[in-house]
């Protein structure tokens, strides 16, 4: 079994500082949070940019600043979001991929996201995939429902995605796939052999799905984007605190945690 | 095991007469197709209205005419679509439910539909469910992905849907859940005990999923909306031809086919 | 999807003529039943020998007579049982494999069989596999529980079995694995890619599991060994009647039925 | 989710002190090991008796001595084995149930156990169940294959077992069901609602299956009977060391560990 890649999803587009007082918002805060997560065991950081007032932004310059500040601190893999917030246009969303990061997220279909719709039409997906391919960016394919796996495989057939694919199962969003153990088992059995996968359980699903991934050979994403609590009703002190717990459980389970360069190896990234 | 309810989805919003020369389009054609399907074993008819030129319409008057013409021929359960075509507004889509049919379809979430998006926001769903409840219409909850089941269960909690729910698993649409046997097994195991379910396999998935439903205790939808072929490359002569095959297979499998009043009993409809 | 191999399990070791008046017992009756099954669509015949009084026997001479009489009538694949009756010794059970038939059954583990125990120790299995390999007999690996699949794979590692393996899932025996659709899905997903499989549902499980196999790409075994009824409470007229129903359903499902030489191709038999 | 019941299976019938130098063998050693396991978080102890030379024995007097010595140290639930060693007779195996312990194990079917056969005929099972019912002993139903669940349910129908049943899934024995995550998911989905279950993964399967059980709402058995290693190639210092790791992981996962009286509540035991 490969070493465990822990991704820290530090900020997201939805969480506010009212909900989570320790949310990193500015480039400096995000870089610092990335560094702490790295020290706690994360080898990959999934980043959403915010304006100083906390509003989500896909501004390439903000992403550039974060990217540089993170790189100045450690060699963690930098993965900006191309999901943005539900109200961002496709043009805005793809901006950070132009920075040629090692990875970027790419959501492979449309679904409800609570009262909103997270819009990822075939046209969006294909244009995002094309930009990433041209810029040497490895996509992390975000899967909110089973059909999105097939959407990704269709892009493989069209030459827009390379295999092996790295999937991220985002589970427990109201409006998309549930986050019970059997749901993860189903998704993990629905991807082509040779693929790699991470699970990002939302809210109360984060921890149990992470634990299952550890023993099933998947990888784990935690962080304030997905879950702001450390235990029921208790907000986490930091993203690093959530990362550290996963690292401890992995160690107890006899699964080693990947350093960034080991994660690059597993994901087929050329540094 | 309950008797088998066969639904005929006669027309849909996408198929053209160029693709399927035997497609029923006018109210008279649709009523005649419904009657033939009824004779072949269907107890429920899922209806999309079209304008004379074939364009999909949600015009209540066209649905009224179809409803009356069908009722004049046989006592098959009439279930208009509130899905309409992907470009219809929510206001247009809900029109046929105002006719107080016994049932109407209600799609429980948003997904890609090939290059289009089939938009069913939480707001749409909830408003549709409310109209149906006020008009004594039993919804058939159309499920294109696993998360839509939970969307429906949330509406139950809000008092917008009554249990037991009748689900329709629409499987194999490009952009939504696949149509392999294991996908059907997964969905069938994801609904509350006491629910009823139908499967509508799209294209090449229609027949194998129908056969599985027959032996698993589910129900079956076939028809030109979902599949225009009788065998590979050979367009079907009529919706009734597709219905008749399911009735024959059910008989071979020792499962009796429900007449309309038996289907009403199974679905908890008051006639 | 390969053409469908229908196996007729004509006689078994348990059924009596009191239960099933049309049970073939003598070599002449068995050969005639094999021929009728062949005409109805079977390409493989699974044979248990009986003494004239109906007692099960593993006597090589009786098997030889059956084998010759079957071969005189048609080119159906001849597969004697090495399971015998639960009270036969291993030495008795392996006898028919010495006739160098194209195939023979080989049960890959021990389980309860109602009040009895169907004994297949590791020693039995390995000795049977060795005899079959020496005699050029392809085993059909009979699986009554999931662990038996791994028993077979251990024999592959020891060089006692060749791949691809042909499995027969015997489902619904009291004491062994159940025969619900989800049980078949589980077993079918537990074998190595490239394997072939047949399902033999016992009693009321025969027909639904057969139908699932047809659409899942498996193969089907029916016959008096597994099930004596045509419909609930109505004993079948002949093994051929059960075969013919499967052939009709397969045809309705668009799956062609394999002739014996086509079955040989699928199973990798050299004739 | 209920608190987590950790069972310590201290000794078993197979392990030798050559394999595991810290194996408890004498009543004093077993009582001491039970006490250490209790301190580490175990609320239930599964016991096999041994003669002073290490040979497994089902002698009631040895079990009596162990039972009393354990009770003198702590209030852990005492569960003797009625499995014994593969060569014990049924009469020998049932002896410890006559001591009227709160629980005893009862294996619900026959399977291969490596080169041996673990014999549990219908007659054995039913006689064991009867003795337990007469002596007020709650059976823990040991499941080595899926069909054994149905064997247990048949005993419920015959009035030989009360519901809710407490199952123990023993997974990864060579000859019986495998111990992959999907195998556990399958078994856990195969028992009646309202049942409780524990998993005992054998060897390398112990830890991953334990972890899955923690997040799936099952319970966990560890100990030298199932696994002698702490990490790959490193023998554990004590049963308690294995228990303590499970307790730590449970705590990390936010699942509290049950004290003996809490376990009695969950299992429906009257103390
Ligand atoms: Zn994100
Ligand atoms: Zn429709
Ligand atoms: Zn047989
Ligand atoms: Zn034991």
């Amino acid at each position: 079994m490969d070493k465990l890649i822990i991704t820290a999803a530090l900020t997201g587009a939805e969480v506010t500082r009212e909900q989570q007082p320790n949310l990193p918002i500015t480039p400096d805060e995000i870089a610092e949070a990335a560094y702490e997560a790295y020290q706690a065991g994360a080898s990959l950081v999934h980043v959403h940019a915010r304006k100083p007032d906390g509003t989500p932004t896909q501004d390439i310059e903000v992403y550039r600043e974060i990217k540089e500040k993170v790189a100045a601190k450690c060699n963690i893999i930098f993965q900006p979001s191309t999901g943005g917030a539900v109200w961002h246009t496709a043009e805005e969303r793809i901006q950070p991929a132009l920075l040629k990061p090692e990875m970027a997220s790419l959501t492979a279909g449309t679904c409800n996201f609570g009262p909103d719709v997270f819009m990822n039409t075939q046209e969006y997906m294909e244009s995002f995939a094309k930009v990433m391919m041209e810029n040497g960016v490895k996509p992390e394919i975000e899967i909110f429902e089973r059909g999105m796996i097939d959407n990704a495989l269709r892009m493989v057939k069209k030459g827009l995605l390379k295999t092996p694919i790295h999937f991220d199962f985002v589970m427990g969003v109201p409006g998309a796939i549930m986050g019970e153990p059997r749901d993860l088992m189903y998704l993990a059995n629905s991807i082509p052999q040779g693929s790699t996968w991470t699970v990002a359980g939302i809210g109360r699903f984060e921890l149990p799905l992470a634990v299952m991934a550890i023993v099933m050979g998947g990888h784990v994403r935690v962080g304030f984007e997905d879950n702001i609590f450390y235990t029921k009703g208790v907000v986490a002190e930091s993203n690093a605190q959530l990362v550290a717990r996963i690292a401890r459980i992995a160690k107890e389970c006899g699964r080693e945690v990947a350093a960034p360069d080991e994660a690059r190896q597993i994901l087929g990234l050329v540094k």
Side-chain angles (χ1 to χ4, degrees), chain A:
Chain A
M1 204 177 279
D2 283 328
K3 290 192 180 182
L4 179 73
I5 303 171
I6 305 177
T7 297
L10 303 172
T11 305
E14 311 262 329
V15 182
T16 66
R17 208 163 255 171
E18 285 66 46
Q19 298 167 319
Q20 171 43 280
N22 308 308
L23 184 75
I25 288 181
T26 65
D28 283 313
E29 289 166 356
I30 291 174
E32 180 60 24
Y35 181 59
E36 291 170 12
Y38 159 79
Q39 286 181 307
S43 49
L44 201 161
V45 66
H46 173 76
V47 171
H48 288 246
R50 299 282 185 107
K51 292 185 190 163
D53 68 356
T55 317
T57 177
Q58 289 296 100
D59 184 335
I60 191 170
E61 293 312 321
V62 185
Y63 275 104
R64 188 192 312 273
E65 185 181 349
I66 300 169
K67 182 169 183 286
E68 286 169 1
K69 286 185 164 159
V70 169
K73 283 180 182 285
C74 58
N75 74 333
I76 199 167
I77 302 166
F78 181 78
Q79 180 197 87
S81 171
T82 67
V86 290
W87 40 266
H88 281 124
T89 65
E91 290 68 28
E92 291 172 303
R93 287 168 51 185
I94 193 60
Q95 291 308 305
L98 304 177
L99 294 171
K100 302 185 190 298
E102 289 178 281
M103 298 186 82
S105 64
L106 195 172
T107 304
T110 301
C111 60
N112 285 354
F113 198 98
D116 299 313
V117 172
F118 186 20
M119 191 70 81
N120 294 285
T121 64
Q122 191 180 308
E123 190 187 344
Y124 284 23
M125 286 186 268
E126 295 185 0
S127 68
F128 285 15
K130 205 160 162 245
V131 170
M132 291 191 200
M133 190 168 276
E134 289 165 358
N135 284 273
V137 181
K138 170 148 182 163
E140 174 173 284
I141 301 297
E142 297 203 25
I143 299 297
F144 288 70
E145 285 283 12
R146 195 269 195 250
M148 297 191 191
I149 295 172
D150 300 287
N151 290 343
L153 299 182
R154 272 185 284 271
M155 290 196 284
V156 171
K157 280 195 189 154
K158 290 185 181 178
L160 294 166
L161 279 187
K162 287 181 199 158
T163 55
I165 297 178
H166 179 63
F167 292 99
D168 178 31
F169 303 137
V170 184
M171 304 183 68
V173 169
I177 200 168
M178 265 290 280
E180 297 293 344
R182 64 184 286 275
D183 299 305
L184 178 56
M185 190 69 60
Y186 171 69
L187 288 183
N189 287 335
S190 300
I191 58 176
Q193 276 202 310
S195 308
T196 50
W197 61 270
T198 287
V199 69
I202 302 304
R204 68 183 170 93
F205 299 112
E206 185 180 87
L207 189 51
L209 295 181
V211 168
M212 286 191 63
I214 289 169
V215 299
M216 288 171 67
H219 303 281
V220 172
R221 180 175 113 173
V222 291
F224 293 168
E225 174 167 354
D226 301 331
N227 167 44
I228 59 174
F229 296 105
Y230 189 70
T231 55
K232 194 171 178 182
V234 179
V235 294
E237 291 167 18
S238 63
N239 280 287
Q241 189 191 23
L242 296 169
V243 170
R245 173 166 55 187
I246 299 303
R248 286 196 308 272
I249 296 174
K251 189 171 295 181
E252 293 279 15
C253 293
R255 186 151 178 214
E256 286 184 72
V257 172
D261 282 343
E262 293 169 326
R264 286 181 174 92
Q265 203 70 37
I266 294 164
L267 295 169
L269 301 175
V270 180
K271 206 203 168 176

